Amino acid sequence: MSVLLRGMRSDDVQAVAAIEAVSFAAPWSTDLFLQDLRTEGRFWFVAEGDGEVLGYAGAWVLGDEAHILNIAVRDGDQGRGVGRQLFEMARAAVAEAGAERITLEVRASNVTAIALYESFGLRGVGFRRGYYAETGEDALIMWGDAGRLRAPDEMLMLAIESSCDETAVAVIRGGHELLADVIASQVDFHARFGGVVPEIASRKHTEAIVEVVDEAMRRAGEALGREEPLGFGDLDALAVTHGPGLVGALVVGVSYAKGLALATGLPLVGVNHLEGHIFANVLADPEVAPPLVALIVSGGHTSLVHMSEWGVYRTMGETLDDAAGEAFDKVAKVLGLGYPGGPILSEMAAEGNRDAIDFPRAMLHSGDFAFSLSGLKTAVINHIRHEREAGREIDIPDLAASFQAAVIDVQVAKAVRAVKETGVRVFCLGGGVAANPALREALCEALRPLAVHVSVPPLHYCTDNAAMIAAAGFQRFLRGERLGLDAEAMPGLRLDTA
Ligand code: KG4
Ligand code: ZN
């Protein structure tokens, strides 16, 4: 059903009053509506769908100030953005009529409406105690600068990612346009240990975060053609990765974001790190939209996920033990090739023969979407030991190619099955291992005959970054989702409940 917005007419008043009667404890009568429609400085709009009134909004302009009276949407038509469109219509009309400020009162418990107004840049400035006489409930008074209210595609969000070993901050405008994308990698500090050391990760995040935020604000200012860095007052919202990941690492980003939200009054949104990896595709490819299947392969995860609509996920299967990236890292460590192992091994694999050594393809025929990589890792390590003990030189490119092929064969087979079973027309890859050229190619090749749109993220968005967190967070922000200031880092956060 398409929604039409237009000025309210007297023949709408009956339907409007009916919605009013179920939405407010002290509703206006049809007479009051009719009278107000005839009064100067009053603005009334309705949203119409299938010839019926779905909702309405009203505003008064008094001098340079506008007061939003009420916005209501019919039961059953809520949650589809009708309220947002009505507010935007009223806002544009009062700004046009010369209003500089907008005020309104909203039930203090109506978090959905408050989030909607916040997303237009309004801020809570105080309470009217016991304003709603029938229930004694408080009204939150909200205030915003009518001229400065931004449409969603003008809004600026700062996003923070600190779930593993990258301290990353991005500033995004309108969900798609990146103004800054700064990453401070700690990889050199972990390399000598052959893997991420959690204690080092948290300490390095603490050391880096203030500087990385400052740098992102500076670059965002530059991108907007300003001489000064962006100020926190220029922002409309904040997002942060609140799980899954290393708890001590997540805590740094989450605490910083909560502090910033408290100090600035900006709304804060929590993002699931794995959702971020899916949104690395959304950022780069406008065709990526649900329903879709995503394969997320990183140093910490190997999951096949079905996204039926924006924000709704079902994990179809995941690894029972090691993650794919972890297997790459461990094999590289045994070979003494350095850390992270994925990029080094995949480069070597390009020179080798994938059929040289027959490594196991665990769970290839398990009939489900689960993965297991620890057996493969052990088989590779045993092979290396065996060859060394026998005094034979190991052909590293052949070994790398054979190991990589064993990983890829299972991933591709399960991805194809997941696409067939769900019937989706879009598939995307995400996570650090998505940078692996052989995996990207094998997936594209296997899915092409199924006429599925395959999206692989640009290389710089494969590993951890805050741009992808910003893209995912912005969507959640517009949906009115918020993280409270009592929120905690959630190392085991599941995508299915995100
Ligand atoms: O997503 P990410 O940056 O961090 C986690 O959330 O884990 O992924 C890092 C992982 C590392 O294990 C790294 O070895 C792997 O991604 N990786 C690769 C490649 N590039 C990075 N694995 C295989 N082939 C690559 N080309
Ligand atoms: Zn990651």
Side-chain angles (χ1 to χ4, degrees):
M1 170 175 48
S2 63
V3 177
L4 168 80
L5 281 107
R6 57 170 175 77
M8 192 188 293
R9 302 184 305 243
S10 50
D11 62 350
D12 295 319
V13 163
Q14 205 73 34
V16 166
I19 300 173
E20 171 97 358
V22 296
S23 308
F24 299 98
W28 278 25
S29 65
T30 48
D31 279 351
L32 260 177
F33 276 112
L34 286 169
Q35 200 179 318
D36 215 70
L37 272 182
R38 290 192 294 268
T39 310
E40 200 169 329
R42 310 289 162 93
F43 296 82
W44 288 97
F45 301 98
V46 295
E48 185 189 301
D50 283 343
E52 290 183 32
V53 173
L54 308 176
Y56 62 95
W60 288 358
V61 175
L62 304 157
D64 60 1
E65 198 164 292
H67 190 73
I68 303 289
L69 287 170
N70 44 20
I71 296 184
V73 177
R74 199 168 69 170
D75 264 358
D77 290 302
Q78 284 153 356
R80 295 174 31 209
V82 176
R84 164 172 296 282
Q85 291 179 53
L86 281 163
F87 182 86
E88 172 52 23
M89 187 113 187
R91 182 204 73 77
V94 299
E96 175 85 356
E100 284 176 11
R101 285 181 302 280
I102 286 184
T103 66
L104 57 83
E105 283 113 15
V106 57
R107 217 169 265 282
S109 64
N110 191 349
V111 287
T112 315
I114 293 170
L116 169 74
Y117 302 138
E118 277 179 351
S119 77
F120 278 95
L122 269 72
R123 298 284 168 263
V125 290
F127 290 97
R128 289 217 164 98
R129 300 288 172 204
Y131 180 74
Y132 297 96
E134 335 74 53
T135 55
E137 203 184 323
D138 297 343
L140 173 67
I141 305 166
M142 298 189 81
W143 183 93
D145 192 336
R148 261 193 49 207
L149 291 185
R150 296 194 184 109
D153 59 358
E154 290 291 311
M155 293 196 140
L156 302 176
M157 171 181 261
L158 176 105
I160 299 171
E161 152 66 38
S162 73
S163 67
C164 190
D165 60 345
E166 248 85 45
T167 319
V169 176
V171 178
I172 200 167
R173 175 159 66 178
H176 282 281
E177 187 191 350
L178 274 175
L179 301 180
D181 179 14
V182 183
I183 303 176
S185 178
Q186 315 171 347
V187 70
D188 295 346
F189 297 100
H190 300 287
R192 75 190 87 153
F193 303 103
V196 177
V197 183
E199 290 78 3
I200 294 180
S202 354
R203 199 167 66 232
K204 290 291 160 196
H205 283 307
T206 312
E207 287 170 13
I209 190 140
V210 174
E211 243 175 87
V212 179
V213 169
D214 285 350
E215 178 63 13
M217 296 297 269
R218 200 186 58 71
R219 289 196 200 170
E222 214 171 81
L224 292 171
R226 299 189 191 178
E227 279 174 18
E228 300 280 304
L230 213 63
F232 291 133
D234 296 317
L235 296 171
D236 297 284
L238 307 168
V240 66
T241 304
H242 63 139
L246 301 169
V247 65
L250 287 163
V251 153
V252 179
V254 170
S255 308
Y256 184 93
K258 287 199 299 187
L260 196 52
L262 182 67
T264 56
L266 287 167
L268 173 63
V269 181
V271 176
N272 180 303
H273 181 78
L274 301 183
E275 179 176 43
H277 277 304
I278 296 176
F279 271 73
N281 292 277
V282 177
L283 255 183
D285 180 349
E287 282 188 55
V288 175
L292 60 79
V293 164
L295 173 64
I296 305 165
V297 270
S298 70
H301 301 275
T302 300
S303 306
L304 263 171
V305 175
H306 178 222
M307 185 207 250
S308 52
E309 49 189 287
W310 291 117
V312 181
Y313 300 97
R314 179 171 62 90
T315 303
M316 302 181 72
E318 58 199 328
T319 181
L320 303 174
D321 37 60
D322 292 353
E326 198 179 350
F328 273 91
D329 294 339
K330 285 183 181 163
V331 167
K333 190 174 176 178
V334 174
L335 290 170
L337 294 176
Y339 172 85
I344 309 166
L345 275 183
S346 72
E347 209 168 295
M348 301 245 164
E351 311 293 320
N353 171 13
R354 79 191 304 278
D355 299 317
I357 311 155
D358 187 18
F359 287 127
R361 268 94 173 133
M363 313 205 50
L364 184 58
H365 303 294
S366 62
D368 58 14
F369 298 102
F371 301 91
S372 169
L373 286 133
S374 78
L376 170 61
K377 175 193 68 189
T378 310
V380 176
I381 293 171
N382 285 343
H383 175 86
I384 296 168
R385 284 217 185 102
H386 190 259
E387 293 296 291
R388 279 180 183 157
E389 276 163 19
R392 281 192 289 270
E393 194 157 327
I394 296 165
D395 185 317
I396 295 183
D398 278 355
L399 179 107
S402 303
F403 157 73
Q404 181 177 275
V407 176
I408 291 177
D409 285 354
V410 183
Q411 311 253 326
V412 170
K414 301 225 171 187
V416 168
R417 268 200 53 218
V419 164
K420 283 186 178 160
E421 191 178 293
T422 53
V424 297
R425 287 270 153 267
V426 179
F427 174 87
C428 63
L429 187 61
V433 185
N436 187 290
L439 175 63
R440 292 159 81 101
E441 203 182 303
L443 280 166
C444 288
E445 210 159 288
L447 290 166
R448 200 172 299 132
L450 301 176
V452 171
H453 177 76
V454 179
S455 171
V456 290
L459 285 181
H460 59 284
Y461 288 153
C462 286
T463 41
D464 292 347
N465 62 83
M468 65 187 196
I469 303 302
F474 197 84
Q475 222 189 50
R476 288 191 174 267
F477 168 63
L478 287 188
R479 279 204 299 269
E481 294 177 25
R482 297 292 182 269
L483 207 57
L485 292 184
D486 56 349
E488 288 179 13
M490 296 200 276
L493 182 66
R494 303 274 311 167
L495 200 45
D496 305 53
T497 52

